[in-house]
Amino acid sequence: MNMLLYKEFRIAVHPFYILSSFVFAALIMIPQWIFFLVPLYFCMVTVPNLLGQYRANKDNQFTILLPVSRDDVVKARMLTLSLLELIHIGFTVCFMLLHHLVYRGGSNFGFDLNAAYIGLTFIIFGIFNWILFPLYYRTAESYGIPVIIATLVATLLAAVCEVPAMINHQRTYFLEQESVLQLLILCAGIILYVLFTLRAYRLSVRSFRQVGL
Amino acid sequence: MPLLEVEHLSKRYPRFTLHDVSFTLEEGYIMGFIGVNGAGKTTTLKSLLNMVHPESGDVTIFGKSMTDHEVAIKQDLGIVLGDKDMYKSYQISKISDVVSRFYAKWDSDAYRYYLDRFDIDPEKKVGELSEGMKTKYFLTLALSHHAQLYIFDEPTSGLDPAARDELLEIFQEIVEDGRHSILYSTHITSDLEKCADYILYIDHGTIIGSDNKEDFIAGYALVKGNTDQLSERHRSRLIAMKQHSYGFSALIKQTDLPLFDEFTVDSPTMEDIMIYHAKREIPHEYAAV
């Protein structure tokens, strides 16, 4: 498993994907911005590019000849994407703190940058994984439709979070004031992220066992 | 001891069926897997490596079921399949570094030896190599971890005659100690004549012969004569026939030879056997569904 992860980060994942997460997270420094676009950029830019690169490099054909099991191949790829998601969230947290330092609080046009925002980002990524991977592993090659469907659902979730805040900021006011509630949402988000991703792994493994390479 | 046993392997695709493939490869031998393009060689190799899932059949390698012990078995397999455009924008040294970590018996000296022998520059990118050199590179990887069984899909295609000859020499060196075996597919019959102890012949997804090379060739005869001499009974025994202005030539089974005593009989070459089989009509039970 460690060797597979080594392979992922040595040849499959270009450092550009980490740099792009840094750049997307830096967009948080735009004042009065729609901050839920930050996780969505990962879904609509990083993921299709990465899956496309796997296909262009014929990674499945390369990896399956190594002494590894199919289940581990799925696990390594999903762990890689999850690690990239966590890096993306990590950069988001850094820029969120910087945002507060630079702008010294103040109300935002949409959802505020706080622990609840990070918790909801975890939920968006968890549901994105839950939809994307099982669909993707039906072929382990075609990623267009799985990415579109998963991104649309992620966008819908982001909209559900953002739009009420934009229309009537009072409705989400409690999330800006209640730090305990924010932390609860953050914890729930992390737990749901793990549960959704684990479920995605189980479904993906089942699909990939049947795929002909 | 058989290193590889394949029993009743079947796989059905919409336009192709791999039909009840069974064969055995003993320790210390080279088996040439021959058939025209599309005959089912790659599908068979992928099926026995669990890359595609056969509907039925068992594959036993080193006495263990491939389904149950895939990871352990692959440690002792050296595999090169047809697709060599993997990670082509990456440096050879980088790919090799990754691959080496997966094998408990990776031998850096053997790796360097084969790089030198094949004249491969490890600083080059895979995509910068010619098709023949790519084949040599992936063979280098397969030869560098002391595998016991080697499975190669058309390893000689794309190689120039000198490189082909050298590769076949390496094959001989590998099996010399009597403990290693090679299964390699090819449609280049001269390779088999130079370097194969056993022949496994596949045609339209069906194994039509698995024997040692001499017996395999001796199992067929080439008959020549005038077309007018051919009765319906004769025709029913022909595997395939070529007609030309001065008569016909046809491939038959050696066992049918007594029927053709009034014809001129020749020994076929491996190429003749392959060409005539490719010309035969597909029996209905093996035809695409």
Side-chain angles (χ1 to χ4, degrees):
Chain A
M1 191 60 212
N2 289 344
M3 273 93 73
L4 273 171
L5 276 178
Y6 179 82
K7 185 221 91 187
E8 293 291 318
F9 283 96
R10 180 101 166 101
I11 56 175
V13 180
H14 197 276
F16 163 79
Y17 294 110
I18 294 167
L19 181 71
S20 66
S21 277
F22 178 85
V23 172
F24 292 143
L27 295 173
I28 278 178
M29 297 311 290
I30 301 172
Q32 301 291 335
W33 199 54
I34 304 166
F35 298 118
F36 273 108
L37 282 173
V38 173
L40 292 184
Y41 281 143
F42 182 87
C43 303
M44 63 178 85
V45 178
T46 305
V47 172
N49 273 295
L50 185 57
L51 296 183
Q53 206 172 329
Y54 278 121
R55 186 159 82 171
N57 285 327
K58 301 188 176 174
D59 181 84
N60 287 329
Q61 289 81 352
F62 176 83
T63 310
I64 208 69
L65 294 180
L66 297 167
V68 292
S69 70
R70 279 188 179 233
D71 293 8
D72 280 347
V73 172
V74 176
K75 198 187 285 177
R77 191 173 293 182
M78 285 189 63
L79 260 176
T80 302
L81 250 115
S82 296
L83 279 170
L84 288 175
E85 283 169 346
L86 296 180
I87 290 169
H88 196 84
I89 291 174
F91 283 136
T92 304
V93 171
C94 294
F95 280 104
M96 190 174 93
L97 297 174
L98 192 63
H99 180 101
H100 285 298
L101 271 176
V102 172
Y103 299 111
R104 305 227 167 253
S107 182
N108 270 309
F109 168 61
F111 204 96
D112 269 347
L113 292 165
N114 52 37
Y117 165 77
I118 299 298
L120 290 168
T121 299
F122 269 112
I123 294 173
I124 289 172
F125 277 155
I127 290 174
F128 177 77
N129 292 347
W130 179 56
I131 295 168
L132 173 78
F133 287 110
L135 286 176
Y136 170 65
Y137 273 108
R138 285 182 183 176
T139 62
E141 291 284 340
S142 306
Y143 58 90
I145 300 292
V147 168
I148 289 169
I149 294 173
T151 306
L152 279 175
V153 174
T155 308
L156 198 69
L157 285 169
V160 167
C161 301
E162 278 285 4
V163 173
M166 289 178 192
I167 294 170
N168 183 352
H169 209 271
Q170 288 306 312
R171 285 186 191 166
T172 53
Y173 184 73
F174 65 98
L175 282 176
E176 287 158 31
Q177 300 303 312
E178 296 290 335
S179 51
V180 176
L181 188 61
Q182 287 175 24
L183 285 174
L184 277 175
I185 291 174
L186 175 62
C187 293
I190 292 170
I191 292 166
L192 285 173
Y193 173 79
V194 172
L195 291 177
F196 276 122
T197 307
L198 280 176
R199 183 71 190 142
Y201 167 69
R202 291 205 180 94
L203 293 170
S204 304
V205 158
R206 206 179 297 164
S207 295
F208 191 53
R209 282 178 192 157
Q210 307 305 320
V211 172
L213 297 169
Chain B
M1 175 190 137
L3 290 188
L4 170 65
E5 290 172 279
V6 178
E7 291 171 319
H8 310 297
L9 207 62
S10 294
K11 173 79 184 167
R12 190 175 281 267
Y13 289 105
R15 297 179 61 81
F16 174 77
T17 301
L18 195 65
H19 188 85
D20 197 23
V21 171
S22 297
F23 63 92
T24 300
L25 176 58
E26 295 285 334
E27 218 172 11
Y29 292 103
I30 300 174
M31 179 179 265
F33 189 18
I34 191 166
V36 294
N37 292 330
K41 300 187 294 291
T42 302
T43 305
T44 304
L45 297 182
K46 285 187 168 183
S47 295
L48 63 91
L49 291 169
N50 271 353
M51 291 178 74
V52 297
H53 299 287
E55 267 90 35
S56 60
D58 295 306
V59 177
T60 309
I61 302 178
F62 314 131
K64 295 177 196 160
S65 158
M66 183 61 176
T67 316
D68 301 333
H69 301 93
E70 182 180 339
V71 179
I73 288 170
K74 279 188 190 165
Q75 278 286 347
D76 293 315
L77 290 182
I79 309 164
V80 179
L81 296 187
D83 199 341
K84 296 166 195 93
D85 278 334
M86 298 174 283
Y87 285 103
K88 58 185 178 182
S89 56
Y90 288 80
Q91 251 181 345
I92 284 169
S93 54
K94 207 169 180 179
I95 303 287
S96 304
D97 167 56
V98 169
V99 172
S100 68
R101 290 167 191 264
F102 285 85
Y103 291 98
K105 289 184 274 181
W106 180 264
D107 183 343
S108 300
D109 292 335
Y111 169 69
R112 277 191 294 273
Y113 167 77
Y114 284 112
L115 277 186
D116 287 346
R117 186 161 176 177
F118 290 138
D119 203 17
I120 298 169
D121 178 0
E123 299 313 309
K124 274 193 172 177
K125 290 177 179 172
V126 176
E128 290 170 354
L129 302 176
S130 67
E131 285 308 302
M133 291 302 278
K134 276 183 203 160
T135 303
K136 287 179 178 179
Y137 170 57
F138 284 104
L139 282 165
T140 299
L141 292 179
L143 293 166
S144 299
H145 57 91
H146 298 290
Q148 205 183 347
L149 173 63
Y150 295 88
I151 296 174
F152 301 139
D153 188 13
E154 305 202 356
T156 52
S157 63
L159 297 184
D160 61 70
R164 260 169 47 204
D165 196 61
E166 190 191 3
L167 186 64
L168 298 177
E169 241 172 62
I170 291 172
F171 285 7
Q172 298 284 7
E173 288 167 19
I174 290 170
V175 298
E176 238 168 35
D177 64 359
R179 289 177 47 246
H180 301 84
S181 297
I182 299 172
L183 169 66
Y184 76 102
S185 73
T186 184
H187 52 256
I188 304 170
T189 50
S190 59
D191 292 348
L192 298 171
E193 278 154 20
K194 279 185 201 164
C195 176
D197 304 303
Y198 286 89
I199 300 291
L200 180 67
Y201 192 107
I202 191 164
D203 185 39
H204 296 107
T206 304
I207 297 294
I208 55 168
S210 173
D211 216 332
N212 72 56
K213 188 169 58 184
E214 291 73 24
D215 290 349
F216 180 80
I217 295 173
Y220 293 93
L222 206 56
V223 289
K224 293 173 184 173
N226 196 310
T227 319
D228 299 339
Q229 292 175 273
L230 283 172
S231 66
E232 271 311 304
R233 194 156 172 246
H234 286 129
R235 285 179 187 273
S236 70
R237 300 292 178 160
L238 303 181
I239 291 167
M241 179 175 78
K242 279 189 201 174
Q243 278 182 291
H244 28 74
S245 53
Y246 46 89
F248 81 97
S249 59
L251 188 74
I252 60 165
K253 288 257 177 79
Q254 184 71 26
T255 47
D256 292 328
L257 206 51
L259 283 175
F260 292 84
D261 49 5
E262 69 268 37
F263 295 89
T264 309
V265 179
D266 255 346
S267 287
T269 61
M270 191 74 76
E271 192 161 305
D272 290 329
I273 297 170
M274 195 166 155
I275 289 168
Y276 280 94
H277 269 290
K279 280 174 72 66
R280 83 186 172 114
E281 285 179 23
I282 310 166
H284 289 300
E285 66 266 36
Y286 306 143
V289 181

